[in-house]
């Protein structure tokens, strides 16, 4: 099997935190849109021409719509994703984060290279120890958009304060 590059793993990876960021930006853009409508109303009341205000209202309304659209699509993909397993190929602790690279097992029998990033280097060491103790290379994963041209996946690893969640580890032991 040829060695894959970081971009090949990252290209197929699903990152649901993007949805939260887009929601925050959407709310900010909507707030700026409301302020722009108010300013346009005030300029028109004063007898001025509010073309510039209407332009910015339209611009920020489009950006708010785009942000809410991305948020909705990401949430729909996350909620309709298929739970499967992925084979861990590499666990890298670097610069305060843990990068897990692996191959997601698709329902049709093929594999998809994915990576997931988690806060804290301790996650890497704890996860390596857990996988070695249980003599496995499999972790739960989520496959989203499986029926599209670009399916994406993510490892389902729960962390808390830069460490693996102990309840998550116990659930993995009982679900062997």
């Amino acid at each position: 099997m040829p060695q894959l590059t970081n971009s090949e793993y990252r290209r197929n990876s699903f990152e649901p935190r993007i949805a939260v960021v887009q929601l925050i930006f959407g709310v900010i853009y909507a707030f700026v849109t409301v302020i722009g409508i108010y300013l346009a109303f005030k300029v028109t009341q004063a007898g001025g021409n509010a073309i510039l205000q209407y332009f910015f209202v339209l611009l920020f309304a489009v950006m708010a719509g785009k942000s809410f659209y991305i948020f909705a699509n990401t949430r729909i993909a996350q909620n309709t994703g298929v739970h499967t397993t992925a084979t861990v190929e590499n666990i890298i602790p670097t610069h305060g984060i843990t990068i897990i690279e692996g191959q997601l097992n698709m329902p049709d029998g093929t594999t998809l290279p994915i990576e997931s990033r988690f806060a804290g280097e301790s996650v890497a060491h704890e996860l390596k120890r857990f996988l070695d103790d249980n003599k496995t290379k499999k972790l739960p994963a989520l496959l989203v958009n499986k029926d599209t041209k670009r399916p994406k996946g993510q490892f389902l690893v729960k962390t808390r304060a830069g460490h693996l969640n102990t309840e998550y580890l116990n659930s993995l032991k009982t679900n062997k």
Side-chain angles (χ1 to χ4, degrees), residues 43-127:
V43 167
T44 306
Q45 260 188 344
N49 191 354
I51 291 176
L52 186 62
Q53 284 80 9
Y54 288 131
F55 170 75
F56 280 105
V57 164
L58 180 65
L59 176 69
F60 279 96
V62 167
M63 291 191 315
K66 175 198 67 94
S67 292
F68 290 132
Y69 176 76
I70 292 171
F71 169 76
N73 276 352
T74 305
R75 284 296 175 192
I76 290 169
Q78 186 177 14
N79 293 335
T80 60
V82 177
H83 290 270
T84 183
T85 61
T87 305
V88 176
E89 291 182 345
N90 202 3
I91 301 174
I92 308 163
T94 179
H95 304 301
I97 64 170
T98 294
I99 302 171
I100 304 173
E101 298 174 338
Q103 297 287 333
L104 186 131
N105 302 318
M106 303 273 284
D108 63 0
T110 61
T111 60
L112 181 72
I114 62 169
E115 88 170 11
S116 293
R117 294 170 180 244
F118 302 96
E121 292 183 20
S122 300
V123 174
H125 305 297
E126 294 168 5
L127 196 56

Side-chain angles (χ1 to χ4, degrees), residues 121-131 162-165 169:
E121 292 183 20
S122 300
V123 174
H125 305 297
E126 294 168 5
L127 196 56
K128 281 180 185 178
R129 188 174 338 119
F130 173 80
L131 293 174
H163 295 279
L164 280 177
N165 189 332
L169 285 178

